[in-house]
Amino acid sequence: MDYKIVMPVLSDTMDKGKLIKWHVHEGDTVHKGDVIAEVESDKAIMEVQTFKDGVVKKLLVKEGDEVPVKEPIAILDTETKPQAPTKKEQAKEEPSKEESKVVQKSEIPSILQELMPTSAPPVEGYASPAAKKAAAKANIDIETLQKEGVLPKPAHLKDISEELLKRYFTPKALHLLKEYGIEANSFTLDHKIDEEEVQDFIMKNNIPKPFPLSSNRKAVIKNVEESAKKPTYLVMETFDIKPYKNVKLTSILIKTIADVMQRHPLTRAILEGDRYLIYPSSNISVAVAKGDDLFMVVCKDAQQKSLEAIDEWVRNLKNRDYSAEELSGSTFGISNLGMFGIKRFSAMINKKDSGIAAFGTLYDGKIDVTFTFDHRILNGVDAAKFVSDLKNSFKGNG
Amino acid sequence: MLYREALNRAIDEAMAADESVVILGEDVGRYGGSYRVSEGLFAKYGAKRVIDTPIAELSIVGNAIGMAIGGLRPIAEIMTVNFSLLAMDQIVNHAAKFRYMSGGKMTIPLTVRMPGGVSRQLAAQHSESYETLYASIPGLIVLAASNATYAYHALKHAIFLNDPVIFLEHELLYPMEMEFEEKANFDPFKAEVVKEGDDLTILTYLKMRYDVLEAVPTIEKELGISVEVIDLNSLRPLDMKTISNSIKKTKRVVLVEEDHKTGGYGAEVIARITEELFYELDAPPLRIAGEDVPIPYNRTLELASIPTPDKIAAQIKLWGQNHGL
């Protein structure tokens, strides 16, 4: 007997439904309760079940067709004895000769295939379930790639993601993605994306390039932040300086300042708790730029050293590494940007130093100097006496 | 708030709110409870509601079931989960089944409280974790309280439920000082996301929650990942939704329990995960559990028989390295 399966009324407002997908073919045996189709109502996609056992005689509509409710969509022959087992039974029974081909082709029982989350063919290879799922979706053949040594064994999700990226991005484009920390799914993954496209994306969206701080940079930041918290003031003066032949200007500055510091104890002092620690030596921190790094290298006991010794120390400064010992123990600093033609600038006090002198460029035998002093250590008068003594000393040098 | 104070407060408030709530067990009355959970209740509610019983676990639960049938809301205290085996018949054959066998006419609003797990050198007969036994019995609700907030709210909830609840505690938690939070609309059947993370879900319960949290910084540092920690709280029913949400995000799962590995409660949880979330997994699930031995008395051997923060970190690190983390 023919039994008509009709388009069901799935909601009060539904007058027609769209057949999204057939789950059976003509000739298939179905049992009561089997899902035979998916139908889209005005609200959702729902499954259509058969209420009778039988063999599908005819499918009356095609996938995608819209059909008024209660119109027949399929005809079931409920009298013919089922020829072939149903899908569910297939899994349990030994496959017949004809069917064995089908089973071999898919290589896993159809019941398992139904359970697979995607309709893509099963993925072979040694990989995690999540990796296989992702590979199936992206059409990546894990087994072959593992044979070629492209994918590791076992393969994990991140390996598949990387493989996927390699497919859609050129190596240079991938490098850019990593460099800028851009997510791959910011792009439409339907073509090979090259460096230029990523560059365009970066420009268009004004994406900054992250630049991690070097340990030196972090140390400098910490130092200057601390420095900025200090109560400081500036003293500006112009010194007459006559450079010696074959002696670096910086060496002359260090030597002269070191000697004058001996007459001004507070320039050899640091603040510690509720007391000053006044050191006997003139230990001067000197700002040294080495590549991108900035160091405050300390010239120790400069008052005892000859100008020649200091000059040798200065000349070797940039060609070597500094020990922790060499980067500590100062009480006053100097910074010199004169070699860049800078006329005048101010500097940040290094660590616990009492002050720092910033030297500009030498012009007409003169140099503009800006002193930054820690007001907690030197008052204006102390600073004035020191600077004035220094000015006379430089004059005397000449 | 101390963990035991949270439990005491829950019982006290339940008893104050409803006259039908009674508590019975060994030393729960004048002595105040072996773990001081019922301290002060005898003075407050008297011998008719705070009932000292003989050392006879079968009768404690049997009587409590009788009380429940008769209209009371009994809280039965068993000194340790090991001794509850004596009451197993009452719990399994009676408490768990009466509602079903009477077609819903008979309800058993019973709470059986008992501590389990490894304390300090109490030897094999006082150190077991039998959550797997109770969580496998249809008709029972099994809750495991790891912290004061859950202990208070969940115990109160359990007392007023019309079904039998096995309320598991841990001996080492009683004297622990813990944060306490008042919560409106508390759901005792919901697992707690203790710490959020992206790369690995660690499921745990009872005391192991603390050992896991201690191990997490090392795991995160050594593997360079972020770890999500979930306290299961309710063992039956199991909150698969919270677990599922987490695993769909992290793709990896480790279960840490103090119970023995073979047939331990974790076996059930991992089976459920494999069944329901197989295709989400990017690594084989890992179970870190107690060794398959009766818990030794010797302290060194005792610690060797259960997970510790060091062992948890080391095992997860090794597992992570082997499975693409």
Side-chain angles (χ1 to χ4, degrees):
Chain A
M1 211 180 103
D2 284 355
Y3 168 72
K4 284 177 187 161
I5 297 175
V6 297
M7 174 61 70
V9 187
L10 299 169
S11 73
D12 295 343
T13 51
M14 176 176 174
D15 49 16
K16 58 185 173 183
K18 186 174 181 180
L19 195 118
I20 298 295
K21 191 173 165 49
W22 278 116
H23 283 276
V24 291
H25 300 101
E26 288 176 6
D28 281 358
T29 302
V30 292
H31 285 170
K32 185 181 165 186
D34 283 354
V35 174
I36 60 157
E38 282 172 35
V39 162
E40 187 183 58
S41 74
D42 49 355
K43 290 199 173 111
I45 293 178
M46 300 175 98
E47 290 173 341
V48 178
Q49 296 178 2
T50 166
F51 297 108
K52 286 189 189 287
D53 296 349
V55 174
V56 180
K57 194 170 172 187
K58 193 152 185 62
L59 300 181
L60 301 172
V61 295
K62 293 194 296 291
E63 288 180 358
D65 284 356
E66 280 199 302
V67 186
V69 296
K70 295 181 182 169
E71 283 284 310
I73 55 172
I75 297 170
L76 217 59
D77 180 354
T78 55
E79 272 174 2
T80 311
K81 288 276 173 205
Q83 298 283 314
T86 63
K87 275 189 177 183
K88 278 177 191 166
E89 285 163 353
Q90 263 177 22
K92 291 177 203 157
E93 286 177 16
E94 281 290 310
S96 68
K97 271 187 183 175
E98 266 182 31
E99 286 154 1
S100 68
K101 274 182 194 166
V102 181
V103 174
Q104 270 174 4
K105 198 177 164 192
S106 67
E107 288 190 2
I108 56 169
S110 56
I111 185 87
L112 268 187
Q113 218 168 18
E114 276 173 24
L115 287 172
M116 292 283 284
T118 64
S119 55
V123 177
E124 297 299 323
Y126 189 35
S128 76
K132 283 193 172 182
K133 186 176 157 190
K137 218 170 174 180
N139 237 344
I140 289 174
D141 182 349
I142 295 179
E143 196 176 28
T144 308
L145 291 176
Q146 279 177 335
K147 273 182 196 153
E148 289 166 4
V150 176
L151 281 177
K153 259 183 170 181
H156 293 93
L157 204 51
K158 65 168 195 273
D159 306 316
I160 304 301
S161 309
E162 240 164 68
E163 180 57 28
L164 190 63
L165 288 179
K166 275 193 250 162
R167 290 196 171 186
Y168 290 110
F169 293 88
T170 64
K172 281 182 177 174
L174 257 187
H175 183 73
L176 268 184
L177 281 192
K178 279 186 188 159
E179 211 174 26
Y180 282 80
I182 304 169
E183 294 280 338
N185 55 19
S186 308
F187 296 85
T188 315
L189 296 179
D190 58 1
H191 62 291
K192 192 95 174 179
I193 295 159
D194 61 7
E195 191 187 6
E196 202 178 327
E197 192 172 338
V198 179
Q199 275 293 6
D200 285 349
F201 181 83
I202 289 167
M203 287 307 292
K204 209 172 143 193
N205 295 287
N206 197 26
I207 293 171
K209 180 171 167 180
F211 192 82
L213 298 177
S214 67
S215 51
N216 176 271
R217 178 66 58 180
K218 284 182 199 160
V220 169
I221 289 172
K222 200 174 161 216
N223 191 12
V224 294
E225 274 176 355
E226 280 303 310
S227 185
K229 287 183 199 160
K230 288 173 189 162
T232 59
Y233 61 95
L234 303 178
V235 173
M236 281 152 273
E237 192 44 276
T238 303
F239 292 170
D240 295 323
I241 294 177
K242 277 192 189 153
Y244 300 106
K245 261 186 192 171
N246 303 324
V247 176
K248 285 211 157 233
L249 184 59
T250 304
S251 314
I252 299 168
L253 301 179
I254 293 171
K255 182 61 191 163
T256 312
I257 291 174
D259 290 345
V260 174
M261 276 169 77
Q262 286 298 309
R263 299 192 287 273
H264 299 270
L266 286 176
T267 60
R268 286 179 274 116
I270 63 164
L271 181 65
E272 200 192 74
D274 53 0
R275 61 187 183 163
Y276 295 120
L277 297 181
I278 299 172
Y279 291 92
S281 287
S282 298
N283 292 349
I284 298 174
S285 56
V286 182
V288 181
K290 224 168 100 174
D292 287 337
D293 294 341
L294 170 66
F295 298 94
M296 294 300 283
V297 191
V298 181
C299 182
K300 299 227 161 129
D301 303 316
Q303 83 285 358
Q304 280 176 9
K305 288 184 176 141
S306 65
L307 181 62
E308 289 71 28
I310 291 174
D311 196 45
E312 203 184 320
W313 183 83
V314 170
R315 282 175 196 277
N316 280 325
L317 259 184
K318 292 206 178 190
N319 312 323
R320 59 192 181 85
D321 294 327
Y322 317 116
S323 64
E325 169 70 13
E326 268 184 298
L327 297 171
S328 60
S330 60
T331 62
F332 194 79
I334 69 167
S335 177
N336 184 2
L337 291 183
M339 53 286 234
F340 299 106
I342 299 295
K343 211 168 168 204
R344 200 179 293 123
F345 73 104
S346 73
M348 306 286 286
I349 294 175
N350 177 45
K351 292 180 185 154
K352 292 187 168 184
D353 287 1
S354 58
I356 188 166
F359 289 87
T361 192
L362 186 69
Y363 62 98
D364 308 332
K366 290 179 197 305
I367 287 184
D368 288 338
V369 195
T370 308
F371 291 86
T372 309
F373 286 107
D374 186 336
H375 209 324
R376 296 171 307 173
I377 303 175
L378 285 96
N379 286 331
V381 174
D382 306 318
K385 284 177 182 166
F386 172 63
V387 173
S388 150
D389 195 348
L390 205 52
K391 186 174 181 175
N392 290 331
S393 298
F394 276 117
K395 219 178 263 174
N397 274 352
Chain B
M1 185 184 286
L2 298 180
Y3 177 77
R4 63 173 162 80
E5 285 173 351
L7 293 163
N8 178 276
R9 190 177 148 189
I11 299 170
D12 190 2
E13 286 179 17
M15 292 184 86
D18 185 340
E19 280 194 349
S20 65
V21 178
V22 298
I23 173 166
L24 69 162
E26 296 155 18
D27 284 335
V28 298
R30 286 186 174 81
Y31 185 70
S34 305
Y35 298 98
R36 297 171 65 189
V37 170
S38 49
E39 212 168 51
L41 299 178
F42 184 81
K44 216 165 167 181
Y45 301 105
K48 278 196 169 174
R49 294 182 65 195
V50 184
I51 305 156
D52 277 324
T53 66
I55 305 175
E57 282 73 17
L58 183 82
S59 93
I60 294 172
V61 180
N63 281 317
I65 292 170
M67 291 172 177
I69 294 170
L72 298 178
R73 292 190 174 276
I75 305 162
E77 180 180 296
I78 304 288
M79 210 177 282
T80 106
V81 80
N82 301 265
F83 307 159
S84 75
L85 295 185
L86 290 159
M88 204 68 172
D89 175 59
Q90 284 299 328
I91 296 172
V92 176
N93 263 326
H94 303 274
K97 292 176 180 170
F98 279 172
R99 180 194 273 274
Y100 294 81
M101 292 177 69
S102 68
K105 288 188 182 128
M106 208 190 274
T107 58
I108 310 292
L110 162 71
T111 305
V112 185
R113 286 182 41 242
M114 45 197 171
V118 174
S119 180
R120 282 183 74 90
Q121 296 193 275
L122 294 181
Q125 292 166 330
H126 299 71
S127 304
E128 284 296 344
S129 305
Y130 283 141
E131 47 270 22
T132 189
L133 294 185
Y134 293 112
S136 65
I137 307 296
L140 294 180
I141 289 165
V142 182
L143 307 179
S146 68
N147 61 90
T149 304
Y150 185 82
Y152 167 76
H153 291 96
L155 181 55
K156 254 179 112 171
H157 204 101
I159 294 168
F160 292 108
L161 269 176
N162 287 332
D163 284 297
V165 178
I166 301 297
F167 197 87
L168 297 172
E169 297 156 18
H170 194 289
E171 285 164 24
L172 286 182
L173 297 178
Y174 289 119
M176 258 172 78
E177 181 67 44
M178 298 172 175
E179 277 179 30
F180 177 77
E181 207 184 322
E182 290 281 0
K183 284 193 170 171
N185 305 323
F186 184 80
D187 181 357
F189 303 119
K190 202 165 166 16
E192 178 193 353
V193 180
V194 182
K195 177 193 171 296
E196 288 193 18
D198 299 321
D199 308 306
L200 165 64
T201 301
I202 303 181
L203 305 174
T204 189
Y205 58 95
L206 282 173
K207 189 216 156 209
M208 282 298 126
R209 167 189 176 129
Y210 301 97
D211 290 30
V212 164
L213 286 176
E214 208 178 314
V216 161
T218 313
I219 298 165
E220 292 193 323
K221 199 175 149 212
E222 301 222 347
L223 288 174
I225 58 166
S226 86
V227 173
E228 184 145 304
V229 180
I230 293 177
D231 187 330
L232 297 175
N233 288 334
S234 173
L235 306 186
R236 183 187 186 98
L238 179 65
D239 177 9
M240 274 306 287
K241 198 174 171 197
T242 301
I243 295 173
S244 167
N245 286 345
S246 178
I247 292 176
K248 279 180 181 162
K249 175 173 68 171
T250 65
K251 307 284 178 195
R252 298 168 191 89
V253 65
V254 172
L255 186 134
V256 182
E257 64 184 328
E258 206 174 77
D259 199 357
H260 309 293
K261 190 163 189 172
T262 302
Y265 180 69
E268 170 63 22
V269 179
I270 294 301
R272 285 282 298 275
I273 290 167
T274 319
E275 194 176 17
E276 295 174 29
L277 298 161
F278 183 73
Y279 291 105
E280 299 293 339
L281 293 174
D282 197 28
L286 172 69
R287 283 186 290 151
I288 299 176
E291 301 295 330
D292 283 334
V293 291
I295 307 297
Y297 171 77
N298 175 291
R299 182 62 177 157
T300 309
L301 292 178
E302 183 179 58
L303 285 175
S305 74
I306 51 167
T308 56
D310 285 353
K311 280 195 266 178
I312 294 167
Q315 286 192 46
I316 292 180
K317 187 187 162 191
L318 186 65
W319 169 86
Q321 286 166 346
N322 288 337
H323 298 295
L325 250 174

